[in-house]
Amino acid sequence: MSAVSASRINKLATVARSINNSRALSTAARQISRRISRPVAAPAIAAVQNRGVKTLNFGGSQETVWERSDFPKEKLAQIFKNDTLAVIGYGTQGMAQSLNARDNGLNVIVGLRKDGHSWKQAVADGWVPGKTLFTMEEAAEKGTIVMNLLSDAGQKDTWPTLKKYLTKGKTLYFSHGFSVVFHDQTSVIPPKDIDVILAAPKGSGATVRSLFLEGRGINSSVAVWQDVSGSARERAFALGVGIGSGYLYETTFEKEVYSDLTGERGVLMGAIQGMFKAQYEVLRSKGHSPSEAFNETVEEATQSLYPLIGARGMDWMYANCSTTARRGALDWAPQFYEATKPVFQRLYASVENGSETRRTLEENSRPDYRERLEAELKEIADSEMWRAGVTVRSLRPENVK
């Protein structure tokens, strides 16, 4: 692609430095999150965070957002002064949310299968067996807010055990609407005498933790399935801040799971791999080298253009590219839109009618799930495109030794 117009170089350089700094911080934070063995002080809230609940214009629609400053640590302590947060599961979300809540001063315990890999990781992160680390059953019994952060398949498998500990007056918390919305497949039907809430971070657990450690915070959606106490909504937003969110918006359990599953299978993960692969193979079939095909398909996208979209939007990225690149993108975008929209419509329908969740549960509950997954990921890793990517990434300035 041609160079960016000269009049915008200084502005782009400033944004690029900011992006690179953020990337370096995120990498360091992810490493810290795997090694931390003691509590850390909650990050100081920057001055830009003291804005509060407000209604904003999102592309012509008015929506209300809540921010971290609406629930300072003192308010969190007051709201949850009589609560024990029992985090069930220690995958990426369980680890990140439990550590963030602990660092925010909340009373947190973790429930896991004893002596497994996650148990050992939790001990390394400072959770103490018999004090803050228990079996799942013990934690669920002790907790007043039971935070079910197991995998969707894991939630289905453990529900018969966990539900007996969800006694009157407790709160059941999720970070995904899957199990409750598709209860016909999971059998997860909460008791009628408890609050059921959701705070769903819009990113991986690694990002939830790293952004918290940077003093920023991820954006999350919040929903209420049952409000028995009359305060479920406030507690849901407060807990969203407690687990590390910077700002939050309200949704429903149904909308959260429909949008989340569509996004993961679509532009966030599934579609992007499919499009990368298609373009790479066309370039290779026309005689382009692996390094050139990878650079023009993946490297330029992830290292140059996507960060610009994230910083200022698609129109700004277009405006800061060459006239040739801009003209071609504007001409071809409608064709990709027409080609892909029917695919996204089929995808959403498959999520809405439950076929996606049914397949997910079936596949992820297989006894050979791990082996099959590793084989699928190995096929991607061993493909020429991603093997070329290993070499390309090694040539980035920050990776040259």
Side-chain angles (χ1 to χ4, degrees):
M1 181 178 290
S2 302
V4 173
S5 59
S7 64
R8 300 189 184 249
I9 288 179
N10 288 336
K11 186 183 293 182
L12 284 168
T14 300
V15 172
R17 283 194 296 272
S18 174
I19 291 166
N20 288 335
N21 288 340
S22 176
R23 185 180 297 119
L25 283 169
S26 296
T27 300
R30 280 193 292 273
Q31 295 171 344
I32 291 171
S33 73
R34 281 293 180 185
R35 297 185 176 92
I36 187 169
S37 59
R38 59 183 175 82
V40 301
I45 298 174
V48 294
Q49 288 291 340
N50 62 358
R51 296 173 294 188
V53 177
K54 60 174 59 175
T55 299
L56 300 175
N57 186 322
F58 288 85
S61 296
Q62 299 295 316
E63 297 183 37
T64 301
V65 296
W66 284 254
E67 297 185 272
R68 180 169 51 190
S69 57
D70 296 312
F71 296 95
K73 287 189 68 176
E74 297 76 14
K75 188 172 182 179
L76 290 177
Q78 179 62 30
I79 292 173
F80 298 114
K81 64 181 179 180
N82 297 319
D83 286 300
T84 297
L85 279 58
V87 176
I88 309 300
Y90 209 67
T92 59
Q93 287 293 341
M95 179 175 66
Q97 293 190 33
S98 61
L99 292 173
N100 291 354
R102 183 179 72 180
D103 292 346
N104 266 329
L106 302 181
N107 181 25
V108 185
I109 61 175
V110 174
L112 302 171
R113 292 184 178 89
K114 192 170 183 178
D115 295 329
H117 173 76
S118 294
W119 182 279
K120 295 174 183 176
Q121 178 63 54
V123 171
D125 288 344
W127 303 101
V128 181
K131 293 184 178 180
T132 56
L133 178 60
F134 302 92
T135 65
M136 288 189 291
E137 295 83 356
E138 290 171 331
E141 183 175 22
K142 293 176 181 293
T144 58
I145 301 176
V146 179
M147 302 173 66
N148 196 339
L149 297 178
L150 295 167
S151 68
D152 297 315
Q155 290 182 18
K156 175 186 177 182
D157 293 341
T158 59
W159 181 248
T161 299
L162 289 182
K163 68 179 181 181
K164 70 182 71 172
Y165 301 107
L166 298 173
T167 53
K168 183 177 181 179
K170 287 193 175 186
T171 296
L172 177 59
Y173 166 100
F174 295 96
S175 280
H176 194 21
F178 188 119
S179 293
V180 174
V181 172
F182 293 101
H183 55 80
D184 59 319
Q185 299 175 25
T186 64
S187 298
V188 175
I189 303 175
K192 296 296 185 181
D193 54 0
I194 65 171
D195 287 349
V196 182
I197 62 176
L198 172 150
K202 301 297 106 178
S204 71
T207 310
V208 172
R209 183 61 174 161
S210 67
L211 291 180
F212 176 82
L213 291 175
E214 291 172 23
R216 296 163 62 192
I218 200 165
N219 60 308
S220 301
S221 60
V222 169
V224 174
W225 183 263
Q226 286 180 183
D227 183 3
V228 176
S229 68
S231 59
R233 186 167 178 266
E234 180 189 40
R235 286 162 65 82
F237 278 103
L239 197 50
V241 171
I243 57 96
S245 304
Y247 79 89
L248 311 104
Y249 61 93
E250 195 161 15
T251 186
T252 67
F253 270 64
E254 292 89 351
K255 289 179 180 176
E256 187 281 328
V257 71
Y258 295 165
S259 60
D260 188 75
L261 294 180
T262 299
E264 291 167 349
R265 286 147 180 76
V267 296
L268 300 179
M269 296 173 67
I272 206 68
Q273 162 65 5
M275 292 181 68
F276 280 164
K277 182 179 179 182
Q279 178 170 302
Y280 181 89
E281 290 182 352
V282 168
L283 291 174
R284 290 289 288 126
S285 72
K286 294 298 182 179
H288 297 270
S289 68
S291 63
E292 183 171 59
F294 188 87
N295 271 288
E296 293 294 343
T297 300
V298 179
E299 191 73 354
E300 186 170 355
T302 61
Q303 300 304 297
S304 176
L305 301 183
Y306 290 177
L308 299 184
I309 297 170
R312 302 262 182 112
M314 184 69 73
D315 59 318
W316 195 77
M317 185 271 280
Y318 276 16
N320 283 279
C321 291
S322 70
T323 56
T324 300
R326 183 164 59 242
R327 183 68 266 151
L330 290 168
D331 289 345
W332 277 90
Q335 297 188 53
F336 282 106
Y337 170 81
E338 294 295 336
T340 60
K341 187 173 181 180
V343 179
F344 285 105
Q345 290 172 326
R346 293 198 302 273
L347 168 57
Y348 192 91
S350 72
V351 170
E352 196 172 29
N353 66 27
S355 59
E356 280 297 312
T357 50
R358 189 172 297 108
R359 172 171 168 74
T360 296
L361 290 171
E362 290 173 354
E363 286 295 313
N364 294 351
S365 297
R366 293 171 62 110
D368 60 346
Y369 156 73
R370 179 58 59 182
E371 293 78 8
R372 289 166 59 88
L373 172 63
E374 289 177 355
E376 289 177 302
L377 296 181
K378 187 175 187 300
E379 182 179 356
I380 294 174
D382 288 347
S383 68
E384 183 191 88
M385 178 173 69
W386 291 111
R387 285 188 289 113
V390 172
T391 304
V392 171
R393 288 193 295 277
S394 73
L395 295 174
R396 293 176 188 166
E398 66 270 22
N399 294 332
V400 174
K401 298 180 180 179

